């Protein structure tokens, strides 16, 4: 949450030593991780869980190349030929690097490995 006084809804369950991740932060700014937990003796249950807030951490705007997926086409003009689009993944990106395309594979496009897509064209558009 970006609030310093209260957490948001939508708690996610976890166990000790589990890796907890949050991947849907879409706005830059100052954020806090709110946690509900039992004490070691499990004296708290249900709605009596303890709640704590982390120190602030800052999410910056996605302006650095290491945080981006950059697409580069081999042509900049409209031509009646296939266009190869190359993909460069930023160094900070660790999620799946599978290319997703709309249309019919082999007709509208052909995926060439994990870093290129050949877009099939039949006329100027």
């Amino acid at each position: 949450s970006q609030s310093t006084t209260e957490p948001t809804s939508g708690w996610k369950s976890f166990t000790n030593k589990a890796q907890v991740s949050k991947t849907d932060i879409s706005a830059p700014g100052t954020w806090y991780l709110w946690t509900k937990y039992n004490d070691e003796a499990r004296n708290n249950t249900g709605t009596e869980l303890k709640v704590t807030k982390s120190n602030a951490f800052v999410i910056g705007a996605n302006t650095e190349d290491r945080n981006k997926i950059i697409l580069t086409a081999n042509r900049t003009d409209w031509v009646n030929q296939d266009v190869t689009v190359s993909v460069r993944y930023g160094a900070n990106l660790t999620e799946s690097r599978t290319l997703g395309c709309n249309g019919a594979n082999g007709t509208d496009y052909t995926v060439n490995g994990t870093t290129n897509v050949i877009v099939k064209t039949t006329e100027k558009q």
Side-chain angles (χ1 to χ4, degrees):
S1 171
Q2 288 189 283
S3 172
T4 59
T5 58
E6 62 184 33
T8 58
S9 61
W11 296 96
K12 181 178 178 180
S13 296
F14 71 97
T15 57
N16 282 350
K17 299 183 181 178
Q19 179 178 346
V20 179
S21 62
K22 176 93 172 138
T23 58
D24 60 348
I25 293 175
S26 58
T30 302
W31 291 81
Y32 302 89
L33 177 64
W34 290 85
T35 309
K36 284 185 190 180
Y37 62 94
N38 287 320
D39 63 14
E40 288 185 25
R42 295 193 173 271
N43 293 326
N44 297 355
T45 59
T47 57
E48 299 174 12
L49 294 173
K50 294 181 181 180
V51 177
T52 186
K53 175 180 62 101
S54 71
N55 290 331
F57 58 94
V58 176
I59 302 293
N62 194 18
T63 58
E64 297 181 33
D65 281 354
R66 62 187 180 177
N67 297 328
K68 293 181 180 180
I69 298 174
I70 298 173
L71 304 175
T72 306
N74 69 329
R75 301 178 187 277
T76 57
D77 54 339
W78 287 107
V79 294
N80 189 16
Q81 297 177 13
D82 296 345
V83 176
T84 301
V85 178
S86 297
V87 182
R88 184 169 62 82
Y89 298 94
N92 287 348
L93 303 180
T94 59
E95 295 294 321
S96 170
R97 293 184 177 187
T98 302
L99 295 170
C101 304
N102 292 325
N105 187 8
T107 301
D108 300 316
Y109 67 89
T110 301
V111 175
N112 184 15
T114 59
T115 58
N116 288 282
V117 171
I118 301 170
V119 181
K120 306 289 186 182
T121 59
T122 56
E123 61 185 76
K124 290 185 178 182
Q125 298 183 8

